C-alpha cells in the first residue's frame, strides 16, 4: 500500500484522518503477515521451524488486534456493528445484517 493509501491529497486531510489511514494500512499489513505465516506453517516440514513461525504468527495476531481496537475506538459505529458479529454463535451473515440494522 505504501504512500498510495490516500485517495485525497494528504496535505488536505486532517491529522486524525491521516492517522486513521496509517492504522488501516497497519491492520492490512498485519493481516497479510498472518496469511504469510499461515502458508509457511502449512508447508513447513521442520517442526522447530514451524514452532518458531507459529510463535511469530501469534505476535501478528496481537498487532492485528491492537490495530483493530484503535480503529474501533475512533469509529463507534464500527464497534456497534462488529459487536453484533464477533464472538457470537449463529449465522455470520445474519449477525452482520442485525449489526448493520442496529446502527441505522
Amino acid at each position: 500500500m505504501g504512500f498510495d493509501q490516500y485517495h485525497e491529497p494528504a496535505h488536505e486531510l486532517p491529522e486524525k484522518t491521516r492517522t486513521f489511514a496509517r492504522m488501516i494500512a497497519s491492520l492490512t499489513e498485519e493481516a497479510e503477515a498472518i496469511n504469510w505465516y499461515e502458508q509457511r506453517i502449512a508447508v513447513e516440514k521442520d517442526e522447530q521451524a514451524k514452532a518458531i513461525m507459529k510463535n511469530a504468527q501469534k505476535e501478528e495476531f496481537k498487532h492485528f488486534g491492537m490495530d483493530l481496537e484503535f480503529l474501533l475506538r475512533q469509529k463507534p459505529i464500527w464497534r456497534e456493528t462488529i459487536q453484533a458479529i464477533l464472538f457470537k454463535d449463529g449465522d455470520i451473515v445474519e449477525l452482520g445484517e442485525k449489526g448493520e440494522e442496529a446502527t441505522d
Side-chain angles (χ1 to χ4, degrees):
M1 186 179 275
F3 291 101
D4 294 333
Q5 65 198 22
Y6 302 116
H7 293 281
E8 300 296 330
H11 68 279
E12 293 181 19
L13 297 172
E15 184 62 32
K16 188 172 183 174
T17 301
R18 292 194 311 268
T19 296
F20 190 83
R22 285 191 290 271
M23 292 304 292
I24 289 285
S26 182
L27 183 76
T28 301
E29 291 162 1
E30 298 302 342
E32 287 175 347
I34 290 165
N35 179 39
W36 295 335
Y37 279 117
E38 191 69 21
Q39 292 178 44
R40 292 173 188 157
I41 290 164
V43 298
E44 183 55 56
K45 306 244 185 300
D46 184 285
E47 289 303 316
Q48 187 169 27
K50 188 182 284 193
I52 292 167
M53 291 176 203
K54 286 180 178 181
N55 182 272
Q57 188 185 46
K58 283 183 185 179
E59 284 289 312
E60 305 304 343
F61 291 149
K62 177 184 78 173
H63 299 155
F64 182 90
M66 290 167 34
D67 290 348
L68 180 59
E69 180 60 26
F70 177 88
L71 292 165
L72 292 174
R73 289 180 184 187
Q74 308 309 303
K75 300 288 183 184
I77 194 168
W78 281 21
R79 182 175 295 285
E80 290 176 43
T81 302
I82 288 175
Q83 282 179 327
I85 302 166
L86 294 180
F87 312 111
K88 305 268 197 264
D89 293 327
D91 184 271
I92 296 169
V93 174
E94 287 179 17
L95 292 168
E97 293 296 325
K98 289 178 185 175
E100 188 176 27
E101 290 170 8
T103 60
D104 285 342

